mmCIF file of all heavy atoms in Angstrom:
data_model
loop_
_atom_site.group_PDB
_atom_site.id
_atom_site.type_symbol
_atom_site.label_atom_id
_atom_site.label_comp_id
_atom_site.label_asym_id
_atom_site.label_seq_id
_atom_site.Cartn_x
_atom_site.Cartn_y
_atom_site.Cartn_z
ATOM 1 N N MET A 254 0.843 -1.182 0.000
ATOM 2 C CA MET A 254 0.000 0.000 0.000
ATOM 3 C C MET A 254 0.882 1.236 0.000
ATOM 4 O O MET A 254 1.752 1.377 0.842
ATOM 5 C CB MET A 254 -0.883 -0.016 1.242
ATOM 6 C CG MET A 254 -1.860 1.104 1.285
ATOM 7 S SD MET A 254 -3.028 0.809 2.611
ATOM 8 C CE MET A 254 -2.908 2.358 3.438
ATOM 9 N N SER A 255 0.660 2.120 -0.943
ATOM 10 C CA SER A 255 1.480 3.325 -1.033
ATOM 11 C C SER A 255 0.771 4.478 -0.344
ATOM 12 O O SER A 255 -0.448 4.604 -0.398
ATOM 13 C CB SER A 255 1.755 3.667 -2.491
ATOM 14 O OG SER A 255 0.549 3.975 -3.136
ATOM 15 N N PHE A 256 1.566 5.306 0.305
ATOM 16 C CA PHE A 256 1.027 6.463 1.026
ATOM 17 C C PHE A 256 1.170 7.693 0.161
ATOM 18 O O PHE A 256 2.260 7.995 -0.309
ATOM 19 C CB PHE A 256 1.772 6.647 2.350
ATOM 20 C CG PHE A 256 1.331 7.867 3.109
ATOM 21 C CD1 PHE A 256 0.102 7.877 3.756
ATOM 22 C CD2 PHE A 256 2.128 8.988 3.178
ATOM 23 C CE1 PHE A 256 -0.308 8.994 4.450
ATOM 24 C CE2 PHE A 256 1.716 10.106 3.870
ATOM 25 C CZ PHE A 256 0.496 10.100 4.509
ATOM 26 N N ARG A 257 0.075 8.401 -0.042
ATOM 27 C CA ARG A 257 0.125 9.626 -0.835
ATOM 28 C C ARG A 257 -0.153 10.812 0.077
ATOM 29 O O ARG A 257 -1.221 10.917 0.679
ATOM 30 C CB ARG A 257 -0.931 9.602 -1.936
ATOM 31 C CG ARG A 257 -0.595 8.672 -3.056
ATOM 32 C CD ARG A 257 -1.592 8.847 -4.152
ATOM 33 N NE ARG A 257 -1.012 8.450 -5.416
ATOM 34 C CZ ARG A 257 -1.528 8.748 -6.578
ATOM 35 N NH1 ARG A 257 -2.617 9.445 -6.649
ATOM 36 N NH2 ARG A 257 -0.945 8.356 -7.679
ATOM 37 N N ALA A 258 0.811 11.682 0.192
ATOM 38 C CA ALA A 258 0.642 12.888 1.005
ATOM 39 C C ALA A 258 -0.021 13.964 0.154
ATOM 40 O O ALA A 258 0.239 14.089 -1.036
ATOM 41 C CB ALA A 258 1.984 13.369 1.520
ATOM 42 N N HIS A 259 -0.857 14.736 0.787
ATOM 43 C CA HIS A 259 -1.517 15.842 0.102
ATOM 44 C C HIS A 259 -0.624 17.067 0.224
ATOM 45 O O HIS A 259 -0.404 17.580 1.312
ATOM 46 C CB HIS A 259 -2.885 16.105 0.727
ATOM 47 C CG HIS A 259 -3.630 17.226 0.077
ATOM 48 N ND1 HIS A 259 -4.096 17.148 -1.211
ATOM 49 C CD2 HIS A 259 -3.985 18.448 0.527
ATOM 50 C CE1 HIS A 259 -4.707 18.279 -1.518
ATOM 51 N NE2 HIS A 259 -4.650 19.086 -0.483
ATOM 52 N N LEU A 260 -0.102 17.527 -0.887
ATOM 53 C CA LEU A 260 0.817 18.658 -0.875
ATOM 54 C C LEU A 260 0.025 19.956 -0.771
ATOM 55 O O LEU A 260 -0.855 20.233 -1.574
ATOM 56 C CB LEU A 260 1.651 18.662 -2.158
ATOM 57 C CG LEU A 260 2.680 19.785 -2.277
ATOM 58 C CD1 LEU A 260 3.718 19.644 -1.157
ATOM 59 C CD2 LEU A 260 3.345 19.737 -3.632
ATOM 60 N N VAL A 261 0.344 20.737 0.256
ATOM 61 C CA VAL A 261 -0.315 22.032 0.451
ATOM 62 C C VAL A 261 0.741 23.113 0.330
ATOM 63 O O VAL A 261 1.692 23.157 1.102
ATOM 64 C CB VAL A 261 -0.993 22.109 1.833
ATOM 65 C CG1 VAL A 261 -1.633 23.470 2.040
ATOM 66 C CG2 VAL A 261 -2.013 21.009 1.973
ATOM 67 N N THR A 262 0.577 23.987 -0.649
ATOM 68 C CA THR A 262 1.530 25.070 -0.828
ATOM 69 C C THR A 262 1.203 26.209 0.132
ATOM 70 O O THR A 262 0.120 26.267 0.727
ATOM 71 C CB THR A 262 1.486 25.593 -2.270
ATOM 72 O OG1 THR A 262 0.169 26.091 -2.524
ATOM 73 C CG2 THR A 262 1.801 24.504 -3.263
ATOM 74 N N ALA A 263 2.138 27.114 0.305
ATOM 75 C CA ALA A 263 1.933 28.255 1.215
ATOM 76 C C ALA A 263 0.784 29.129 0.728
ATOM 77 O O ALA A 263 0.020 29.663 1.529
ATOM 78 C CB ALA A 263 3.221 29.065 1.323
ATOM 79 N N ARG A 264 0.651 29.256 -0.585
ATOM 80 C CA ARG A 264 -0.432 30.090 -1.119
ATOM 81 C C ARG A 264 -1.803 29.468 -0.823
ATOM 82 O O ARG A 264 -2.741 30.158 -0.453
ATOM 83 C CB ARG A 264 -0.249 30.266 -2.622
ATOM 84 C CG ARG A 264 -1.337 31.113 -3.245
ATOM 85 C CD ARG A 264 -1.027 31.410 -4.678
ATOM 86 N NE ARG A 264 0.062 32.356 -4.755
ATOM 87 C CZ ARG A 264 0.600 32.781 -5.886
ATOM 88 N NH1 ARG A 264 0.150 32.334 -7.038
ATOM 89 N NH2 ARG A 264 1.581 33.646 -5.878
ATOM 90 N N LYS A 265 -1.908 28.129 -0.952
ATOM 91 C CA LYS A 265 -3.176 27.463 -0.646
ATOM 92 C C LYS A 265 -3.481 27.530 0.845
ATOM 93 O O LYS A 265 -4.625 27.691 1.250
ATOM 94 C CB LYS A 265 -3.131 26.004 -1.097
ATOM 95 C CG LYS A 265 -3.301 25.814 -2.581
ATOM 96 C CD LYS A 265 -3.349 24.342 -2.910
ATOM 97 C CE LYS A 265 -3.489 24.112 -4.397
ATOM 98 N NZ LYS A 265 -3.474 22.687 -4.715
ATOM 99 N N ALA A 266 -2.462 27.384 1.683
ATOM 100 C CA ALA A 266 -2.671 27.425 3.126
ATOM 101 C C ALA A 266 -3.078 28.822 3.587
ATOM 102 O O ALA A 266 -3.798 28.977 4.562
ATOM 103 C CB ALA A 266 -1.412 26.979 3.853
ATOM 104 N N ALA A 267 -2.602 29.847 2.884
ATOM 105 C CA ALA A 267 -2.944 31.215 3.257
ATOM 106 C C ALA A 267 -4.358 31.587 2.827
ATOM 107 O O ALA A 267 -4.938 32.526 3.366
ATOM 108 C CB ALA A 267 -1.941 32.181 2.625
ATOM 109 N N ASN A 268 -4.931 30.858 1.885
ATOM 110 C CA ASN A 268 -6.280 31.139 1.419
ATOM 111 C C ASN A 268 -7.285 30.682 2.475
ATOM 112 O O ASN A 268 -7.353 29.499 2.785
ATOM 113 C CB ASN A 268 -6.506 30.402 0.097
ATOM 114 C CG ASN A 268 -7.879 30.672 -0.481
ATOM 115 O OD1 ASN A 268 -8.634 31.487 0.051
ATOM 116 N ND2 ASN A 268 -8.202 29.993 -1.562
ATOM 117 N N PRO A 269 -8.066 31.597 3.057
ATOM 118 C CA PRO A 269 -8.992 31.196 4.109
ATOM 119 C C PRO A 269 -10.112 30.274 3.639
ATOM 120 O O PRO A 269 -10.787 29.657 4.447
ATOM 121 C CB PRO A 269 -9.561 32.521 4.620
ATOM 122 C CG PRO A 269 -9.334 33.485 3.518
ATOM 123 C CD PRO A 269 -8.108 33.025 2.782
ATOM 124 N N TYR A 270 -10.328 30.181 2.335
ATOM 125 C CA TYR A 270 -11.390 29.334 1.814
ATOM 126 C C TYR A 270 -10.882 27.966 1.375
ATOM 127 O O TYR A 270 -11.646 27.165 0.885
ATOM 128 C CB TYR A 270 -12.097 30.027 0.649
ATOM 129 C CG TYR A 270 -12.763 31.303 1.080
ATOM 130 C CD1 TYR A 270 -12.227 32.534 0.753
ATOM 131 C CD2 TYR A 270 -13.910 31.259 1.850
ATOM 132 C CE1 TYR A 270 -12.827 33.708 1.170
ATOM 133 C CE2 TYR A 270 -14.513 32.423 2.276
ATOM 134 C CZ TYR A 270 -13.981 33.641 1.938
ATOM 135 O OH TYR A 270 -14.570 34.785 2.372
ATOM 136 N N SER A 271 -9.591 27.694 1.531
ATOM 137 C CA SER A 271 -9.081 26.373 1.167
ATOM 138 C C SER A 271 -9.426 25.388 2.278
ATOM 139 O O SER A 271 -9.486 25.743 3.448
ATOM 140 C CB SER A 271 -7.579 26.420 0.939
ATOM 141 O OG SER A 271 -6.900 26.670 2.133
ATOM 142 N N GLY A 272 -9.634 24.146 1.911
ATOM 143 C CA GLY A 272 -10.062 23.150 2.887
ATOM 144 C C GLY A 272 -9.052 22.877 3.973
ATOM 145 O O GLY A 272 -9.411 22.536 5.093
ATOM 146 N N SER A 273 -7.765 23.038 3.673
ATOM 147 C CA SER A 273 -6.748 22.703 4.663
ATOM 148 C C SER A 273 -6.698 23.707 5.795
ATOM 149 O O SER A 273 -6.242 23.387 6.878
ATOM 150 C CB SER A 273 -5.379 22.621 3.994
ATOM 151 O OG SER A 273 -5.050 23.865 3.415
ATOM 152 N N SER A 274 -7.145 24.943 5.578
ATOM 153 C CA SER A 274 -7.094 25.928 6.647
ATOM 154 C C SER A 274 -8.443 26.104 7.338
ATOM 155 O O SER A 274 -8.514 26.759 8.364
ATOM 156 C CB SER A 274 -6.603 27.274 6.115
ATOM 157 O OG SER A 274 -7.543 27.816 5.214
ATOM 158 N N LEU A 275 -9.501 25.542 6.780
ATOM 159 C CA LEU A 275 -10.811 25.707 7.407
ATOM 160 C C LEU A 275 -10.933 24.920 8.710
ATOM 161 O O LEU A 275 -11.522 25.401 9.668
ATOM 162 C CB LEU A 275 -11.922 25.258 6.457
ATOM 163 C CG LEU A 275 -12.334 26.261 5.392
ATOM 164 C CD1 LEU A 275 -13.419 25.666 4.515
ATOM 165 C CD2 LEU A 275 -12.813 27.548 6.005
ATOM 166 N N VAL A 276 -10.371 23.734 8.751
ATOM 167 C CA VAL A 276 -10.509 22.899 9.953
ATOM 168 C C VAL A 276 -9.829 23.529 11.168
ATOM 169 O O VAL A 276 -10.458 23.645 12.213
ATOM 170 C CB VAL A 276 -9.992 21.469 9.679
ATOM 171 C CG1 VAL A 276 -9.982 20.648 10.952
ATOM 172 C CG2 VAL A 276 -10.852 20.799 8.624
ATOM 173 N N PRO A 277 -8.574 23.983 11.060
ATOM 174 C CA PRO A 277 -7.990 24.651 12.228
ATOM 175 C C PRO A 277 -8.744 25.906 12.646
ATOM 176 O O PRO A 277 -8.873 26.194 13.839
ATOM 177 C CB PRO A 277 -6.570 25.008 11.777
ATOM 178 C CG PRO A 277 -6.291 24.110 10.656
ATOM 179 C CD PRO A 277 -7.599 23.814 10.000
ATOM 180 N N MET A 278 -9.269 26.657 11.672
ATOM 181 C CA MET A 278 -10.031 27.855 12.010
ATOM 182 C C MET A 278 -11.300 27.482 12.762
ATOM 183 O O MET A 278 -11.692 28.172 13.716
ATOM 184 C CB MET A 278 -10.383 28.636 10.739
ATOM 185 C CG MET A 278 -9.206 29.386 10.161
ATOM 186 S SD MET A 278 -9.516 30.082 8.536
ATOM 187 C CE MET A 278 -10.987 31.035 8.823
ATOM 188 N N LEU A 279 -11.972 26.405 12.363
ATOM 189 C CA LEU A 279 -13.180 25.974 13.062
ATOM 190 C C LEU A 279 -12.864 25.506 14.475
ATOM 191 O O LEU A 279 -13.598 25.812 15.424
ATOM 192 C CB LEU A 279 -13.860 24.844 12.286
ATOM 193 C CG LEU A 279 -14.577 25.263 11.009
ATOM 194 C CD1 LEU A 279 -15.038 24.034 10.245
ATOM 195 C CD2 LEU A 279 -15.755 26.149 11.328
ATOM 196 N N ILE A 280 -11.765 24.781 14.645
ATOM 197 C CA ILE A 280 -11.384 24.299 15.975
ATOM 198 C C ILE A 280 -11.046 25.478 16.886
ATOM 199 O O ILE A 280 -11.487 25.529 18.038
ATOM 200 C CB ILE A 280 -10.204 23.309 15.864
ATOM 201 C CG1 ILE A 280 -10.668 22.040 15.152
ATOM 202 C CG2 ILE A 280 -9.629 22.997 17.238
ATOM 203 C CD1 ILE A 280 -9.550 21.078 14.824
ATOM 204 N N ILE A 281 -10.281 26.442 16.373
ATOM 205 C CA ILE A 281 -9.933 27.616 17.176
ATOM 206 C C ILE A 281 -11.186 28.400 17.533
ATOM 207 O O ILE A 281 -11.335 28.880 18.663
ATOM 208 C CB ILE A 281 -8.921 28.491 16.410
ATOM 209 C CG1 ILE A 281 -7.583 27.765 16.321
ATOM 210 C CG2 ILE A 281 -8.752 29.848 17.071
ATOM 211 C CD1 ILE A 281 -6.585 28.413 15.405
ATOM 212 N N GLY A 282 -12.113 28.524 16.607
ATOM 213 C CA GLY A 282 -13.358 29.230 16.898
ATOM 214 C C GLY A 282 -14.173 28.544 17.978
ATOM 215 O O GLY A 282 -14.724 29.203 18.859
ATOM 216 N N LEU A 283 -14.247 27.221 17.933
ATOM 217 C CA LEU A 283 -14.983 26.494 18.971
ATOM 218 C C LEU A 283 -14.327 26.650 20.334
ATOM 219 O O LEU A 283 -15.006 26.849 21.349
ATOM 220 C CB LEU A 283 -15.079 25.013 18.598
ATOM 221 C CG LEU A 283 -16.076 24.675 17.500
ATOM 222 C CD1 LEU A 283 -15.935 23.208 17.098
ATOM 223 C CD2 LEU A 283 -17.491 24.950 17.960
ATOM 224 N N VAL A 284 -12.990 26.567 20.363
ATOM 225 C CA VAL A 284 -12.278 26.710 21.636
ATOM 226 C C VAL A 284 -12.484 28.108 22.206
ATOM 227 O O VAL A 284 -12.766 28.262 23.402
ATOM 228 C CB VAL A 284 -10.776 26.396 21.439
ATOM 229 C CG1 VAL A 284 -9.970 26.793 22.664
ATOM 230 C CG2 VAL A 284 -10.587 24.914 21.148
ATOM 231 N N LEU A 285 -12.366 29.129 21.374
ATOM 232 C CA LEU A 285 -12.556 30.492 21.865
ATOM 233 C C LEU A 285 -13.988 30.724 22.337
ATOM 234 O O LEU A 285 -14.219 31.437 23.316
ATOM 235 C CB LEU A 285 -12.188 31.499 20.769
ATOM 236 C CG LEU A 285 -10.700 31.601 20.451
ATOM 237 C CD1 LEU A 285 -10.478 32.554 19.281
ATOM 238 C CD2 LEU A 285 -9.922 32.063 21.661
ATOM 239 N N THR A 286 -14.946 30.122 21.661
ATOM 240 C CA THR A 286 -16.343 30.248 22.084
ATOM 241 C C THR A 286 -16.552 29.613 23.453
ATOM 242 O O THR A 286 -17.192 30.204 24.335
ATOM 243 C CB THR A 286 -17.269 29.580 21.052
ATOM 244 O OG1 THR A 286 -17.061 30.209 19.784
ATOM 245 C CG2 THR A 286 -18.724 29.711 21.472
ATOM 246 N N LEU A 287 -16.015 28.415 23.646
ATOM 247 C CA LEU A 287 -16.166 27.753 24.947
ATOM 248 C C LEU A 287 -15.461 28.521 26.056
ATOM 249 O O LEU A 287 -16.000 28.652 27.162
ATOM 250 C CB LEU A 287 -15.625 26.321 24.861
ATOM 251 C CG LEU A 287 -16.452 25.362 24.011
ATOM 252 C CD1 LEU A 287 -15.747 24.018 23.878
ATOM 253 C CD2 LEU A 287 -17.834 25.176 24.612
ATOM 254 N N VAL A 288 -14.269 29.046 25.777
ATOM 255 C CA VAL A 288 -13.542 29.832 26.780
ATOM 256 C C VAL A 288 -14.336 31.087 27.129
ATOM 257 O O VAL A 288 -14.440 31.466 28.300
ATOM 258 C CB VAL A 288 -12.133 30.175 26.267
ATOM 259 C CG1 VAL A 288 -11.462 31.214 27.158
ATOM 260 C CG2 VAL A 288 -11.285 28.907 26.198
ATOM 261 N N GLY A 289 -14.905 31.732 26.143
ATOM 262 C CA GLY A 289 -15.702 32.928 26.399
ATOM 263 C C GLY A 289 -16.942 32.624 27.208
ATOM 264 O O GLY A 289 -17.332 33.403 28.097
ATOM 265 N N MET A 290 -17.598 31.503 26.941
ATOM 266 C CA MET A 290 -18.791 31.131 27.712
ATOM 267 C C MET A 290 -18.434 30.838 29.164
ATOM 268 O O MET A 290 -19.147 31.237 30.080
ATOM 269 C CB MET A 290 -19.475 29.932 27.070
ATOM 270 C CG MET A 290 -20.129 30.246 25.725
ATOM 271 S SD MET A 290 -20.690 28.783 24.861
ATOM 272 C CE MET A 290 -22.007 28.241 25.937
ATOM 273 N N ILE A 291 -17.332 30.132 29.373
ATOM 274 C CA ILE A 291 -16.893 29.818 30.741
ATOM 275 C C ILE A 291 -16.515 31.100 31.469
ATOM 276 O O ILE A 291 -16.861 31.294 32.639
ATOM 277 C CB ILE A 291 -15.738 28.801 30.705
ATOM 278 C CG1 ILE A 291 -16.257 27.454 30.203
ATOM 279 C CG2 ILE A 291 -15.092 28.664 32.078
ATOM 280 C CD1 ILE A 291 -15.170 26.446 29.902
ATOM 281 N N ALA A 292 -15.801 32.006 30.789
ATOM 282 C CA ALA A 292 -15.410 33.265 31.413
ATOM 283 C C ALA A 292 -16.645 34.111 31.766
ATOM 284 O O ALA A 292 -16.681 34.740 32.825
ATOM 285 C CB ALA A 292 -14.493 34.049 30.478
ATOM 286 N N ALA A 293 -17.654 34.084 30.924
ATOM 287 C CA ALA A 293 -18.878 34.846 31.210
ATOM 288 C C ALA A 293 -19.591 34.274 32.427
ATOM 289 O O ALA A 293 -20.179 35.016 33.229
ATOM 290 C CB ALA A 293 -19.796 34.834 29.993
ATOM 291 N N LEU A 294 -19.553 32.960 32.594
ATOM 292 C CA LEU A 294 -20.185 32.344 33.762
ATOM 293 C C LEU A 294 -19.416 32.652 35.049
ATOM 294 O O LEU A 294 -20.005 32.889 36.096
ATOM 295 C CB LEU A 294 -20.288 30.837 33.570
ATOM 296 C CG LEU A 294 -21.322 30.358 32.561
ATOM 297 C CD1 LEU A 294 -21.210 28.840 32.374
ATOM 298 C CD2 LEU A 294 -22.720 30.709 33.036
ATOM 299 N N VAL A 295 -18.089 32.656 34.954
ATOM 300 C CA VAL A 295 -17.263 32.872 36.147
ATOM 301 C C VAL A 295 -17.374 34.307 36.626
ATOM 302 O O VAL A 295 -17.498 34.555 37.837
ATOM 303 C CB VAL A 295 -15.791 32.502 35.840
ATOM 304 C CG1 VAL A 295 -14.855 32.959 36.957
ATOM 305 C CG2 VAL A 295 -15.662 30.993 35.627
ATOM 306 N N TRP A 296 -17.335 35.265 35.708
ATOM 307 C CA TRP A 296 -17.306 36.673 36.102
ATOM 308 C C TRP A 296 -18.689 37.334 36.072
ATOM 309 O O TRP A 296 -18.772 38.546 36.156
ATOM 310 C CB TRP A 296 -16.361 37.436 35.199
ATOM 311 C CG TRP A 296 -14.919 37.177 35.559
ATOM 312 C CD1 TRP A 296 -14.326 37.489 36.734
ATOM 313 C CD2 TRP A 296 -13.924 36.568 34.749
ATOM 314 N NE1 TRP A 296 -13.025 37.095 36.696
ATOM 315 C CE2 TRP A 296 -12.739 36.529 35.497
ATOM 316 C CE3 TRP A 296 -13.928 36.052 33.460
ATOM 317 C CZ2 TRP A 296 -11.567 35.993 34.989
ATOM 318 C CZ3 TRP A 296 -12.757 35.515 32.966
ATOM 319 C CH2 TRP A 296 -11.599 35.493 33.717
ATOM 320 N N SER A 297 -19.746 36.565 36.011
ATOM 321 C CA SER A 297 -21.075 37.180 36.008
ATOM 322 C C SER A 297 -21.618 37.319 37.415
ATOM 323 O O SER A 297 -21.239 36.633 38.316
ATOM 324 C CB SER A 297 -22.037 36.356 35.166
ATOM 325 O OG SER A 297 -22.194 35.062 35.711
#
């Protein structure tokens, strides 16, 4: 079985609409949302 790596160039990674950068952006957004909700509960 041969392994094929998906080559991502710097230009594709910098494009916010490319699939390779959408997943990290979604994860960071979820983490920041949860942190903000917890902070709002603690300091309310």
Side-chain angles (χ1 to χ4, degrees):
M254 184 170 128
S255 64
F256 176 74
R257 287 187 155 195
H259 180 67
L260 181 63
V261 178
T262 61
R264 180 173 288 177
K265 283 184 181 177
N268 182 5
Y270 298 106
S271 68
S273 60
S274 66
L275 279 179
V276 174
M278 285 170 54
L279 287 172
I280 293 172
I281 291 170
L283 285 172
V284 169
L285 289 176
T286 301
L287 291 174
V288 169
M290 291 171 67
I291 292 170
L294 288 174
V295 169
W296 284 297
S297 62

